[in-house]
Amino acid sequence: MSLLDMVKEAGIIGAGGAGFPTHAKLASKADYILLNGAECEPLLRVDQQLMEMFPDEIIKGFEAAGKQVNATKAIIGIKGKHKEVIKVLQERIEELKVGDYIEIGALPDIYPAGDEQVLVYELTGRVVPEAGIPIQVGCVVINSETALNIYHASLGKPVTEKYITLAGDIPNRLTVKVPVGTPIIDVLRLSGIENFEDYAVIDGGPMMGPVMNNLNGYVTKKNKGFVILKKNHPLIRKKTASMVQAKRINRASCEQCRMCTDLCPRFLLGHDTLPHKMMRSLSYDVKDLEGQKVAQLCCQCNLCEVFSCPIGLYPKSANNYYREKLAELNMRYKPTKEVFEVRTAREHRLVPSKRLIARIGLRDFDKPAPMTEITVKPEVVHIATRQHVGAPAVPAVKVGEHVQEGQLIGTIPEESLGAAIHASISGTVTESGNDYIAIRRD
């Protein structure tokens, strides 16, 4: 069986949060394969620990993925500040005798270094076109945990577990491995908090992650971490503002200073991302949406909204307002050129991570979240059929059927983009529907 088939059968998707099926990505041919170990979201700690704990497995999985796409060079992107992790990786690269193929690419400690287009430029000097993807400039990007899963797939092991960081205003900051489908509330309680009435939970990193409306969900292959903060924290208040509130505040206060645009990471790469113009359009209630198509170039990094604007307005919300309007009308942005040049001011406008963390009120919580040996054993798991980009998995088991951990329980629909799902515990199927497959532990 080829590596591509093994990756497909293992149900591997992008573990960094995007959830794109990895077998589809590895079907391309590229000049470079890049490992995204930047983990630039504040407080999250999964990738840096996995690279230190499982360097051989990640290197081997990364090398195998690189050979699969015929890449002539493989580069591990990791922030230069992680000196100990880099030392471990370098030693293992030499020991495994893959130094002629794999190298370390030290990234600056900026946000968003983990944005795949920023990563591509920092590691290769190539600029991904507007509304484009890395393969258009000969690059394939995978996450550190994804590389680990590729190694496991080569041994016949599917994805049944997920590494999660718990961080924020909590007694116990930690990183833990849990079965896919574990109730999120069970994971959150490992933080040392039992009653979440006064707390809000961000699903993912504090910059891009949404505030959860309820805590009744289940862990998927895409989850990376949960940031727990008091409900009155300024970041929570900012992220929970409604579109109506954001539009009203934007119209009343924007003075067109351009800071949201001037610090935008995609604008600095030469793209025509122009959030200040979306703010202007919103103020004048522009009806002709042709000029607002650039809103679709926003990468949702949230830098403009929580850092760049000097008076705390909502440029990303303005972008999203027009993105929604354009989607309703099925209008799409089309680039007018193929080659993009980085703006000369870029090197002077990069946002240091420490400064960002202080600005968004997380400096007191920017502490280690060490990997723990805690074993989470949920009585029942709910494994989502749609936890990836593409079509939901088709249930392959029936209610009452007994399954073993690692058994295939959901398949990819024919002629569709998707990912297989597997039992994360051994037990009896209690639900098998369009949304979830539930398994009760033996």
Side-chain angles (χ1 to χ4, degrees), residues 25-194:
K25 186 176 284 190
L26 296 186
S28 307
K29 300 304 175 187
D31 302 325
Y32 291 96
I33 188 163
L34 310 176
L35 187 78
N36 191 345
E39 200 161 41
C40 65
E41 276 273 17
L43 309 188
L44 300 189
R45 303 286 187 256
V46 170
D47 290 337
Q48 54 202 264
Q49 295 191 78
L50 291 183
M51 287 186 286
E52 188 169 14
M53 294 174 63
F54 306 109
D56 286 24
E57 293 87 342
I58 288 174
I59 290 168
K60 289 176 181 178
F62 184 44
E63 180 191 26
K67 301 296 186 185
Q68 173 64 41
V69 299
N70 289 345
T72 56
K73 196 68 181 175
I75 307 175
I76 297 175
I78 179 173
K79 289 186 175 181
K81 69 176 183 179
H82 298 306
K83 292 181 171 53
E84 288 302 314
V85 183
I86 290 174
K87 181 181 177 183
V88 169
L89 288 170
Q90 198 62 63
E91 288 175 353
R92 298 314 303 160
I93 286 171
E94 293 174 7
E95 185 67 25
L96 293 169
K97 295 181 171 53
V98 292
D100 59 336
Y101 184 60
I102 299 177
E103 66 181 48
I104 306 290
L107 300 167
D109 189 14
I110 59 168
Y111 180 84
D115 173 79
E116 66 176 10
Q117 295 195 13
V118 173
L119 184 87
V120 166
Y121 176 71
E122 290 290 343
L123 296 181
T124 70
R126 300 181 179 186
V127 179
V128 178
E130 290 175 337
I133 55 177
I135 194 60
Q136 290 177 252
V137 291
C139 298
V140 166
V141 181
I142 63 172
N143 170 264
S144 303
E145 189 175 354
T146 302
L148 179 62
N149 288 335
I150 291 171
Y151 171 77
H152 289 155
S154 71
L155 303 179
K157 184 179 185 300
V159 180
T160 59
E161 299 169 321
K162 194 72 184 75
Y163 290 91
I164 303 285
T165 291
L166 292 176
D169 188 4
I170 55 177
N172 305 325
R173 299 176 186 88
L174 53 89
T175 301
V176 63
K177 181 174 67 174
V178 302
V180 171
T182 298
I184 287 174
I185 191 65
D186 290 358
V187 181
L188 295 178
R189 286 181 177 139
L190 299 176
S191 67
I193 297 173
E194 285 292 326

Side-chain angles (χ1 to χ4, degrees), residues 33 77 125 151 180 205 224 263 265 284 292 306 309 326 349 351 424:
I33 188 163
Y151 171 77
V180 171
K224 191 76 171 175
L263 294 181
Y284 288 96
Q292 319 325 315
V306 302
C309 181
L326 291 162
R349 294 180 180 171
V351 176
S424 58

Side-chain angles (χ1 to χ4, degrees), residues 338-386:
E338 296 181 1
V339 179
F340 295 83
E341 295 183 1
V342 170
R343 300 187 195 273
T344 55
R346 181 178 185 270
E347 63 178 303
H348 306 295
R349 294 180 180 171
L350 301 177
V351 176
S353 297
K354 289 293 184 184
R355 189 174 173 191
L356 171 66
I357 290 168
R359 176 73 67 86
I360 61 178
L362 297 181
R363 182 167 54 191
D364 292 343
F365 314 129
D366 185 24
K367 298 176 181 178
M371 192 73 71
T372 175
E373 295 297 323
I374 292 174
T375 300
V376 179
K377 288 189 172 183
E379 285 301 309
V380 180
V381 294
H382 284 72
I383 300 171
T385 57
R386 186 192 294 274

Side-chain angles (χ1 to χ4, degrees), residues 216-433:
N216 298 324
Y218 305 92
V219 171
T220 72
K221 301 176 193 177
K222 293 195 298 182
N223 287 121
K224 191 76 171 175
F226 299 105
V227 177
I228 305 166
L229 298 170
K230 295 282 181 61
K231 285 182 177 177
N232 63 358
H233 190 282
L235 182 63
I236 298 300
R237 295 205 303 268
K238 183 79 173 180
K239 292 175 77 73
T240 53
S242 69
M243 182 63 77
V244 172
Q245 290 173 309
K247 285 172 63 179
R248 184 175 67 247
I249 294 169
N250 286 350
R251 283 173 172 163
S253 306
C254 181
E255 58 186 17
Q256 287 290 290
C257 72
R258 276 190 58 107
M259 286 295 287
C260 54
T261 293
D262 289 342
L263 294 181
C264 171
R266 294 290 177 90
F267 174 78
L268 294 174
L269 287 176
H271 295 187
D272 282 331
T273 320
L274 303 167
H276 79 283
K277 286 194 174 181
M278 300 307 100
M279 296 285 279
R280 186 190 307 168
S281 299
L282 201 61
S283 296
Y284 288 96
D285 199 21
V286 174
K287 302 297 184 185
D288 180 8
L289 297 184
E290 189 63 34
Q292 319 325 315
K293 287 182 178 179
V294 293
Q296 295 175 331
L297 302 179
C298 174
C299 67
Q300 302 291 297
C301 74
N302 215 15
L303 199 61
C304 60
E305 200 149 292
V306 302
F307 181 87
S308 305
C309 181
I311 55 174
L313 303 185
Y314 297 85
K316 188 192 81 169
S317 296
N319 260 324
N320 286 349
Y321 173 78
Y322 284 109
R323 281 161 62 102
E324 290 171 10
K325 293 290 184 184
L326 291 162
E328 289 171 6
L329 297 172
N330 199 29
M331 296 175 67
R332 296 291 301 170
Y333 177 85
K334 293 183 180 179
T336 57
K337 56 183 181 180
E338 296 181 1
V339 179
F340 295 83
E341 295 183 1
V342 170
R343 300 187 195 273
T344 55
R346 181 178 185 270
E347 63 178 303
H348 306 295
R349 294 180 180 171
L350 301 177
V351 176
S353 297
K354 289 293 184 184
R355 189 174 173 191
L356 171 66
I357 290 168
R359 176 73 67 86
I360 61 178
L362 297 181
R363 182 167 54 191
D364 292 343
F365 314 129
D366 185 24
K367 298 176 181 178
M371 192 73 71
T372 175
E373 295 297 323
I374 292 174
T375 300
V376 179
K377 288 189 172 183
E379 285 301 309
V380 180
V381 294
H382 284 72
I383 300 171
T385 57
R386 186 192 294 274
Q387 50 184 300
H388 48 262
V389 173
V394 177
V397 290
K398 297 179 180 178
V399 173
E401 187 174 337
H402 187 272
V403 296
Q404 294 293 327
E405 179 183 337
Q407 180 178 329
L408 179 71
I409 59 172
T411 61
I412 303 172
E414 279 192 45
E415 305 299 321
S416 297
L417 178 67
I421 54 175
H422 301 77
S424 58
I425 62 173
S426 297
T428 302
V429 176
T430 59
E431 181 182 340
S432 183

